[in-house]
Amino acid sequence: IVTALSQSESRGDLATLAALGSTVSLRRQLAGAQAGLVALTGVVLGIVVGLPAGVAVGIINTSVNYQDPNGSSATPPVIAMPWLGFAVLVVLVPLLAIAVAALGVRRVPTMTRRIN
């Protein structure tokens, strides 16, 4: 949603760049860079904010208190971090955002004329 909103807001800027002679690839690179940065920021912040909550829930759900015959009173919690999943998110989500934003740039932007 953020990428679509920023694309609609920057439509005038892209038209100005086109009027100044920029190529379609430059405008696509600008849109892709903006979308990739927003997506990367969102993924990293999501992992940083969600990780402590996930660890807390994992500790609560995997800690089992019981009295076994050997005298042990508790089992340690089991926390398995999905590092591969985090790496896939950090790489694929921004790449997908870059591709979608680059494809969304028009080849010939809508030119507007100002009437004084």
Side-chain angles (χ1 to χ4, degrees), residues 3-59:
T3 303
L5 288 173
S6 69
Q7 285 291 324
S8 67
E9 285 185 10
S10 67
R11 194 170 288 159
D13 297 335
L14 293 176
T16 302
L17 285 172
L20 292 173
S22 71
T23 61
V24 176
S25 65
L26 176 69
R27 290 182 276 133
R28 286 186 176 159
Q29 288 173 2
L30 286 172
Q34 184 179 17
L37 185 63
V38 169
L40 182 65
T41 303
V43 168
V44 169
L45 284 176
I47 290 172
V48 168
V49 170
L51 196 60
V55 169
V57 169
I59 288 173

Coordinates of all heavy atoms in Angstrom, one line a residue, residues 3-59:
T3 N 3.9 1.5 -1.1 CA 4.5 1.7 -2.5 C 3.5 2.3 -3.5 O 3.9 3.2 -4.2 CB 5.0 0.3 -3.0 OG1 5.9 -0.2 -2.0 CG2 5.7 0.4 -4.3
A4 N 2.3 1.9 -3.4 CA 1.3 2.4 -4.4 C 1.1 3.9 -4.1 O 0.9 4.7 -5.0 CB 0.0 1.6 -4.3
L5 N 1.0 4.2 -2.8 CA 0.8 5.6 -2.5 C 1.9 6.5 -2.9 O 1.8 7.6 -3.4 CB 0.5 5.8 -1.0 CG -0.8 5.3 -0.5 CD1 -0.9 5.3 1.1 CD2 -2.0 6.1 -1.0
S6 N 3.1 6.0 -2.6 CA 4.3 6.8 -3.0 C 4.4 6.9 -4.5 O 4.9 7.9 -5.1 CB 5.6 6.2 -2.4 OG 5.9 5.0 -3.0
Q7 N 4.0 5.9 -5.3 CA 4.0 6.0 -6.7 C 3.0 7.0 -7.2 O 3.3 7.8 -8.1 CB 3.7 4.6 -7.3 CG 4.8 3.6 -7.2 CD 5.9 3.9 -8.1 OE1 5.8 4.5 -9.2 NE2 7.1 3.7 -7.7
S8 N 1.9 7.0 -6.6 CA 0.9 8.0 -7.1 C 1.3 9.4 -6.7 O 1.1 10.4 -7.5 CB -0.5 7.7 -6.5 OG -0.5 7.9 -5.1
E9 N 2.0 9.6 -5.6 CA 2.5 10.9 -5.2 C 3.7 11.4 -6.1 O 3.8 12.6 -6.3 CB 2.9 11.0 -3.7 CG 1.7 11.0 -2.8 CD 2.1 11.1 -1.3 OE1 3.3 11.4 -1.1 OE2 1.3 10.9 -0.5
S10 N 4.5 10.4 -6.5 CA 5.6 10.8 -7.3 C 5.4 10.8 -8.8 O 6.3 11.0 -9.6 CB 6.8 9.9 -7.0 OG 6.5 8.6 -7.4
R11 N 4.1 10.7 -9.2 CA 3.8 10.7 -10.6 C 4.2 12.0 -11.3 O 4.7 12.0 -12.4 CB 2.3 10.4 -10.8 CG 1.9 10.1 -12.2 CD 0.5 9.6 -12.3 NE 0.5 8.3 -11.7 CZ -0.7 7.7 -11.3 NH1 -1.8 8.3 -11.3 NH2 -0.6 6.5 -10.8
G12 N 4.0 13.1 -10.6 CA 4.4 14.4 -11.1 C 5.9 14.5 -11.3 O 6.4 15.1 -12.3
D13 N 6.6 14.0 -10.3 CA 8.1 14.1 -10.3 C 8.6 13.2 -11.5 O 9.5 13.6 -12.2 CB 8.7 13.6 -9.0 CG 8.3 14.4 -7.9 OD1 8.0 15.6 -8.1 OD2 8.3 13.9 -6.7
L14 N 8.0 12.1 -11.7 CA 8.4 11.2 -12.8 C 8.1 11.9 -14.2 O 8.9 11.8 -15.1 CB 7.8 9.9 -12.7 CG 8.2 9.0 -11.6 CD1 7.4 7.7 -11.5 CD2 9.7 8.7 -11.6
A15 N 7.0 12.6 -14.2 CA 6.6 13.3 -15.5 C 7.7 14.5 -15.7 O 8.0 14.7 -16.9 CB 5.2 13.9 -15.4
T16 N 8.1 15.1 -14.6 CA 9.1 16.2 -14.8 C 10.4 15.6 -15.3 O 11.1 16.2 -16.1 CB 9.3 16.9 -13.4 OG1 8.0 17.5 -13.0 CG2 10.3 18.0 -13.6
L17 N 10.8 14.5 -14.7 CA 12.0 13.8 -15.2 C 11.9 13.4 -16.6 O 12.9 13.5 -17.4 CB 12.3 12.6 -14.3 CG 12.9 12.8 -12.9 CD1 12.9 11.6 -12.1 CD2 14.2 13.5 -13.0
A18 N 10.8 12.9 -17.0 CA 10.6 12.5 -18.4 C 10.6 13.8 -19.3 O 11.2 13.7 -20.4 CB 9.2 11.8 -18.6
A19 N 10.1 14.9 -18.9 CA 10.1 16.1 -19.7 C 11.6 16.6 -19.8 O 11.9 17.3 -20.8 CB 9.3 17.2 -19.0
L20 N 12.4 16.3 -18.8 CA 13.8 16.8 -18.8 C 14.7 15.8 -19.6 O 15.9 16.1 -19.8 CB 14.3 16.9 -17.4 CG 13.7 18.1 -16.6 CD1 14.2 18.0 -15.2 CD2 14.1 19.4 -17.3
G21 N 14.1 14.7 -20.1 CA 14.8 13.8 -20.9 C 15.4 12.5 -20.3 O 16.2 11.9 -20.8
S22 N 14.9 12.2 -19.1 CA 15.3 11.0 -18.5 C 14.8 9.8 -19.2 O 13.7 9.8 -19.8 CB 14.9 10.9 -17.0 OG 13.6 10.7 -16.9
T23 N 15.5 8.7 -19.1 CA 15.1 7.4 -19.8 C 14.0 6.7 -18.9 O 13.9 7.0 -17.7 CB 16.3 6.5 -20.0 OG1 16.8 6.2 -18.8 CG2 17.3 7.2 -20.9
V24 N 13.4 5.8 -19.5 CA 12.4 5.0 -18.8 C 13.1 4.1 -17.7 O 12.6 4.0 -16.6 CB 11.6 4.1 -19.7 CG1 10.7 3.1 -19.0 CG2 10.8 4.9 -20.7
S25 N 14.3 3.6 -18.1 CA 15.0 2.8 -17.1 C 15.4 3.6 -15.9 O 15.4 3.1 -14.7 CB 16.3 2.2 -17.8 OG 17.2 3.2 -18.1
L26 N 15.8 4.9 -16.0 CA 16.1 5.7 -14.8 C 14.9 5.9 -13.9 O 15.0 5.7 -12.7 CB 16.7 7.0 -15.3 CG 16.9 8.0 -14.1 CD1 18.1 7.5 -13.3 CD2 17.2 9.4 -14.6
R27 N 13.8 6.2 -14.5 CA 12.5 6.3 -13.7 C 12.1 5.0 -13.1 O 11.7 5.0 -11.9 CB 11.4 6.9 -14.6 CG 11.7 8.3 -15.0 CD 10.6 8.9 -15.8 NE 10.8 8.5 -17.2 CZ 9.9 8.0 -18.1 NH1 8.7 7.8 -17.6 NH2 10.2 7.7 -19.3
R28 N 12.3 3.9 -13.7 CA 12.0 2.6 -13.1 C 13.0 2.3 -12.0 O 12.6 1.7 -11.0 CB 12.1 1.5 -14.2 CG 10.9 1.5 -15.1 CD 10.8 0.4 -16.0 NE 9.6 0.4 -16.8 CZ 9.4 -0.1 -17.9 NH1 10.3 -0.9 -18.5 NH2 8.2 0.0 -18.5
Q29 N 14.3 2.7 -12.2 CA 15.2 2.5 -11.1 C 14.9 3.3 -9.9 O 15.0 2.8 -8.7 CB 16.6 2.8 -11.6 CG 17.2 1.8 -12.6 CD 18.5 2.3 -13.1 OE1 19.1 3.3 -12.8 NE2 19.1 1.5 -14.1
L30 N 14.5 4.5 -10.1 CA 14.1 5.4 -9.0 C 12.9 4.8 -8.2 O 12.9 4.7 -7.0 CB 13.8 6.8 -9.4 CG 14.9 7.7 -9.8 CD1 14.5 8.9 -10.5 CD2 15.8 8.0 -8.7
A31 N 11.9 4.4 -8.9 CA 10.7 3.8 -8.3 C 11.1 2.5 -7.6 O 10.6 2.2 -6.5 CB 9.6 3.5 -9.4
G32 N 11.9 1.7 -8.2 CA 12.3 0.4 -7.6 C 13.1 0.6 -6.3 O 13.0 -0.1 -5.3
A33 N 14.0 1.6 -6.4 CA 14.9 1.9 -5.2 C 14.0 2.4 -4.0 O 14.2 2.0 -2.9 CB 15.9 3.0 -5.5
Q34 N 13.0 3.2 -4.3 CA 12.2 3.7 -3.3 C 11.4 2.5 -2.7 O 11.3 2.4 -1.4 CB 11.2 4.8 -3.8 CG 10.4 5.4 -2.7 CD 9.5 6.5 -3.3 OE1 9.3 6.6 -4.5 NE2 8.9 7.3 -2.5
A35 N 10.8 1.7 -3.5 CA 10.0 0.6 -3.0 C 10.8 -0.4 -2.3 O 10.4 -1.0 -1.3 CB 9.3 -0.1 -4.2
G36 N 12.1 -0.7 -2.8 CA 12.9 -1.6 -2.1 C 13.4 -1.1 -0.7 O 13.4 -1.9 0.2
L37 N 13.6 0.1 -0.6 CA 14.0 0.7 0.7 C 12.9 0.6 1.7 O 13.1 0.3 2.8 CB 14.5 2.1 0.5 CG 15.0 2.8 1.8 CD1 16.3 2.1 2.3 CD2 15.3 4.3 1.5
V38 N 11.7 0.9 1.2 CA 10.5 0.9 2.1 C 10.2 -0.6 2.5 O 10.0 -0.9 3.7 CB 9.2 1.5 1.4 CG1 8.0 1.2 2.2 CG2 9.4 3.0 1.3
A39 N 10.3 -1.5 1.6 CA 10.1 -2.9 1.9 C 11.2 -3.5 2.9 O 10.9 -4.2 3.8 CB 10.1 -3.8 0.7
L40 N 12.4 -3.1 2.6 CA 13.5 -3.6 3.5 C 13.4 -3.0 4.9 O 13.5 -3.8 5.9 CB 14.9 -3.2 2.9 CG 16.1 -3.7 3.7 CD1 16.2 -5.2 3.7 CD2 17.3 -3.1 3.1
T41 N 13.0 -1.8 5.0 CA 12.8 -1.2 6.3 C 11.6 -1.9 7.0 O 11.7 -2.2 8.2 CB 12.5 0.3 6.2 OG1 13.5 1.0 5.5 CG2 12.3 1.0 7.5
G42 N 10.6 -2.1 6.3 CA 9.4 -2.8 6.9 C 9.7 -4.2 7.4 O 9.3 -4.6 8.5
V43 N 10.5 -5.0 6.6 CA 10.8 -6.3 7.0 C 11.8 -6.3 8.2 O 11.5 -7.1 9.2 CB 11.5 -7.1 5.8 CG1 12.1 -8.4 6.3 CG2 10.5 -7.3 4.7
V44 N 12.8 -5.5 8.2 CA 13.7 -5.5 9.3 C 13.0 -5.0 10.6 O 13.2 -5.6 11.7 CB 14.9 -4.6 9.0 CG1 15.8 -4.3 10.2 CG2 15.8 -5.2 7.9
L45 N 12.2 -4.0 10.5 CA 11.5 -3.5 11.7 C 10.5 -4.6 12.2 O 10.3 -4.8 13.4 CB 10.8 -2.2 11.4 CG 11.6 -1.0 11.4 CD1 10.8 0.2 11.0 CD2 12.3 -0.8 12.7
G46 N 9.9 -5.3 11.3 CA 8.9 -6.3 11.7 C 9.6 -7.5 12.4 O 9.1 -8.0 13.4
I47 N 10.8 -7.8 11.9 CA 11.6 -8.9 12.6 C 12.0 -8.4 14.0 O 11.9 -9.1 15.0 CB 12.7 -9.4 11.7 CG1 12.2 -10.1 10.5 CG2 13.7 -10.2 12.5 CD1 13.3 -10.4 9.5
V48 N 12.5 -7.2 14.0 CA 13.1 -6.7 15.3 C 11.9 -6.5 16.3 O 12.1 -6.9 17.5 CB 13.8 -5.3 15.1 CG1 14.1 -4.6 16.4 CG2 15.1 -5.6 14.3
V49 N 10.8 -6.1 15.9 CA 9.7 -5.9 16.9 C 9.0 -7.2 17.2 O 8.6 -7.5 18.3 CB 8.7 -4.9 16.3 CG1 7.4 -4.9 17.1 CG2 9.3 -3.5 16.2
G50 N 8.9 -8.1 16.2 CA 8.2 -9.4 16.5 C 9.0 -10.5 17.2 O 8.5 -11.4 17.8
L51 N 10.3 -10.4 17.1 CA 11.2 -11.4 17.6 C 11.0 -11.6 19.1 O 10.9 -12.7 19.6 CB 12.6 -11.1 17.2 CG 13.6 -12.3 17.4 CD1 13.2 -13.4 16.6 CD2 15.0 -11.8 17.0
P52 N 11.1 -10.5 19.9 CA 10.9 -10.7 21.4 C 9.6 -11.3 21.8 O 9.5 -12.1 22.6 CB 11.0 -9.3 21.9 CG 11.8 -8.5 20.9 CD 11.4 -9.1 19.6
A53 N 8.5 -10.9 21.1 CA 7.2 -11.5 21.4 C 7.2 -13.0 21.0 O 6.6 -13.8 21.7 CB 6.1 -10.7 20.6
G54 N 7.8 -13.3 19.9 CA 7.8 -14.7 19.5 C 8.6 -15.6 20.4 O 8.2 -16.7 20.7
V55 N 9.7 -15.0 20.9 CA 10.6 -15.8 21.9 C 9.8 -15.9 23.2 O 9.8 -17.0 23.8 CB 11.9 -15.1 22.1 CG1 12.6 -15.6 23.3 CG2 12.8 -15.2 20.8
A56 N 9.1 -14.9 23.6 CA 8.3 -15.0 24.9 C 7.2 -16.0 24.8 O 7.0 -16.8 25.7 CB 7.7 -13.6 25.2
V57 N 6.5 -16.0 23.7 CA 5.5 -17.0 23.5 C 6.1 -18.4 23.4 O 5.5 -19.4 23.9 CB 4.6 -16.7 22.2 CG1 3.7 -17.9 21.9 CG2 3.8 -15.5 22.5
G58 N 7.2 -18.6 22.7 CA 7.9 -19.9 22.6 C 8.3 -20.4 24.0 O 8.2 -21.6 24.3
I59 N 8.8 -19.5 24.8 CA 9.3 -19.9 26.2 C 8.1 -20.4 27.0 O 8.1 -21.4 27.6 CB 10.0 -18.8 26.9 CG1 11.4 -18.6 26.2 CG2 10.1 -19.0 28.4 CD1 12.1 -17.4 26.7

